[in-house]
Amino acid sequence: MAGMELDDEGRRLLDQLFDKWSLLVLHALCDRSRRFSELRQHLPAVTPKSLTTCLRRLERNGVVERVVLSTEPVAIEYRISRLGRSLESPLRAMLGWVVDHLDTVEAARTQYDERRADI
Amino acid sequence: MAGMELDDEGRRLLDQLFDKWSLLVLHALCDRSRRFSELRQHLPAVTPKSLTTCLRRLERNGVVERVVLSTEPVAIEYRISRLGRSLESPLRAMLGWVVDHLDTVEAARTQYDERRADI
DNA sequence: CAGTATCCCAATGGATACTG
DNA sequence: CAGTATCCATTGGGATACTG
């Protein structure tokens, strides 16, 4: 652990990977490629603007690809890139932790808040 | 992967774990307990206000503990909790990915920007 | 369908100074 | 040392409406 140092660039990349929607979009795309509207349905609270911003950023960082399918009419789908796929395992670990420990965290919060209220 | 769904609470927890400084603070504390001023030195760009906010939130979520040492004069140190320790492995995976792939990401960005500039 | 365009608000977080 | 207090600039992101 000691040898792994993150410079400022690294921290900014973390910011971009972990903004409000990115992890969830990535998670959805690891499962399978999806279209814009499918992502919107999958992430109910996201607005088109936020989703666009998020997708562009992930695309720019090379973890997601925007593919124009030459169907008729053309369809556009987003898929995970090879680079993005390499993120799947760390991502799963992280999301898995959240799912597994959400209850514990909630309990900790309650306890913390009560302690503060006592004072 | 399919079975792991994140509700809104989960997404908000992600937000709190992955805000601008939290991951780096956690990383630093996984290494060893540190005092406020040590953390400031370790994370050069953080202001005291931001660090406080971050620590309080991590404490509230139960992953960090604020310990008052009964030395003379008293010292305060922050240490990782048991719950926080369980985050270490996912955290390492995530930060490791960033360190390992930062160059690739940079290249992808350059490529993306150039393609856009062409148009 | 896959976005873009506007408007707007709340919150993040930086700079700085101060305190028990 | 370990913060708190203020002020302020930026921006992320929601709501909504519109478009090729």
Side-chain angles (χ1 to χ4, degrees):
Chain A
M1 197 74 172
M4 191 169 59
E5 289 311 320
L6 229 57
D7 60 3
D8 203 55
E9 270 312 306
R11 222 228 50 232
R12 285 175 52 203
L13 176 54
L14 276 175
D15 283 352
Q16 304 206 349
L17 253 25
F18 297 130
D19 72 354
K20 189 162 188 179
W21 300 107
S22 295
L23 283 189
L24 299 186
V25 168
L26 244 20
H27 177 220
L29 293 182
C30 276
D31 187 25
R32 61 176 174 80
S33 300
R34 289 170 203 258
R35 308 187 53 176
F36 194 86
S37 50
E38 291 178 304
L39 285 170
R40 286 191 68 179
Q41 286 160 22
H42 196 76
L43 281 56
V46 73
T47 61
K49 177 187 163 188
S50 298
L51 184 54
T52 301
T53 307
C54 175
L55 286 170
R56 291 291 169 276
R57 183 151 44 187
L58 292 176
E59 198 190 344
R60 179 167 184 261
N61 285 322
V63 293
V64 160
E65 284 160 4
R66 179 180 189 272
V67 183
V68 181
L69 301 172
S70 48
T71 51
E72 182 58 43
V74 292
I76 291 167
E77 83 175 18
Y78 293 90
R79 64 171 62 147
I80 196 86
S81 71
R82 267 188 55 177
L83 180 60
R85 186 62 73 179
S86 72
L87 232 181
E88 183 174 10
S89 154
L91 176 58
R92 286 182 66 140
M94 211 65 249
L95 295 182
W97 187 92
V98 171
V99 170
D100 290 347
H101 298 85
L102 196 47
D103 289 349
T104 313
V105 169
E106 301 267 25
R109 285 178 184 166
T110 305
Q111 212 183 334
Y112 181 91
D113 293 344
E114 278 170 359
R115 218 180 323 153
R116 303 238 98 192
D118 285 349
I119 306 169
Chain B
M1 198 73 173
M4 192 170 58
E5 289 310 320
L6 229 58
D7 59 3
D8 202 55
E9 271 311 306
R11 223 229 49 232
R12 285 174 52 203
L13 176 54
L14 276 176
D15 283 352
Q16 305 207 349
L17 253 25
F18 298 133
D19 71 354
K20 191 163 188 181
W21 300 107
S22 295
L23 282 188
L24 299 186
V25 168
L26 245 19
H27 177 220
L29 294 182
C30 275
D31 187 25
R32 61 178 173 78
S33 298
R34 290 171 203 260
R35 308 186 53 176
F36 194 85
S37 49
E38 291 178 305
L39 285 170
R40 286 191 68 179
Q41 287 159 23
H42 196 75
L43 282 56
V46 74
T47 61
K49 177 186 162 189
S50 298
L51 184 54
T52 301
T53 308
C54 174
L55 286 169
R56 291 291 168 277
R57 182 151 44 187
L58 292 176
E59 199 190 342
R60 178 167 185 262
N61 285 321
V63 292
V64 159
E65 285 161 2
R66 180 181 187 272
V67 183
V68 182
L69 302 172
S70 46
T71 52
E72 183 58 44
V74 292
I76 291 165
E77 82 175 20
Y78 292 91
R79 64 171 62 148
I80 197 85
S81 71
R82 267 188 55 177
L83 179 61
R85 187 61 74 180
S86 72
L87 232 180
E88 183 174 10
S89 154
L91 177 58
R92 286 182 67 140
M94 211 63 248
L95 294 182
W97 187 92
V98 170
V99 171
D100 291 346
H101 297 86
L102 196 46
D103 289 349
T104 312
V105 169
E106 301 267 26
R109 285 178 184 166
T110 306
Q111 211 182 334
Y112 181 90
D113 293 344
E114 278 170 1
R115 218 180 322 153
R116 302 237 97 192
D118 285 349
I119 306 168

